[in-house]
Every structure is written in C-alpha cells, then in structure tokens.
Amino acid sequence: MTKLQKDSCRECSQISELHAQIRNLQDENRKLGNTVSWMHQMIWDLLARNRSLAGQTEAMPVQKGETAHLLSEKSL
C-alpha cells in the first residue's frame, strides 16, 4: 500500500467517525428540542390551569363569617 493510499484510508476512517459523531449530536439535539417543547407546553398548560382556578376561587360566593378571613389572606 502506498503512502497516498494509507493517508486516504485514514482520512476515510476519520470522516466516518465524524459522520457518526454528527449523527449522535443531531439525535441528542432532537431529543433536547423535544424536551424543551414538552416543558414549554407544560408550563403554559399549568399557567392556564392556575388562571382558571384563580378565576374560579374569585367567583365563589363568600359565606357569612368568612369575609374577615379572606381579607386577611389577601393582605399577606
């Protein structure tokens, strides 16, 4: 085998390794992107749920004797 052929084989091996690393990084990047999307959607869902619950508690009628209790909670 000539020096040129040996260098060519070494370069092919390095190129193959780099392609494998690129594929692994692309897979990892895709998984991380999916995780971020999932977390982002979960945060928005929780915010919407909290707003809905907050609206429900504000719309609840106050029973007699609870007014002072509710006022003290709001001042905290």
Side-chain angles (χ1 to χ4, degrees):
M1 203 180 250
T2 67
K3 182 179 182 332
L4 183 60
Q5 289 173 328
K6 287 181 184 177
D7 288 343
S8 178
C9 287
R10 191 176 313 125
E11 289 173 2
C12 287
S13 174
Q14 289 173 340
I15 289 172
S16 292
E17 289 176 23
L18 290 173
H19 280 292
Q21 286 178 350
I22 288 170
R23 280 191 301 274
N24 289 339
L25 290 171
Q26 287 172 334
D27 288 343
E28 185 178 351
N29 189 42
R30 181 181 39 79
K31 289 175 187 176
L32 291 172
N34 290 341
T35 300
V36 169
S37 295
W38 172 80
M39 291 173 71
H40 185 262
Q41 186 60 50
M42 184 176 68
I43 289 167
W44 281 109
D45 290 346
L46 288 172
L47 284 172
R49 180 176 172 218
N50 285 345
R51 287 184 186 132
S52 173
L53 290 174
Q56 288 176 7
T57 57
E58 287 177 8
M60 291 175 64
V62 176
Q63 299 295 322
K64 204 172 193 180
E66 290 183 358
T67 308
H69 175 70
L70 291 174
L71 290 175
S72 64
E73 283 182 356
K74 287 186 178 183
S75 63
L76 295 175

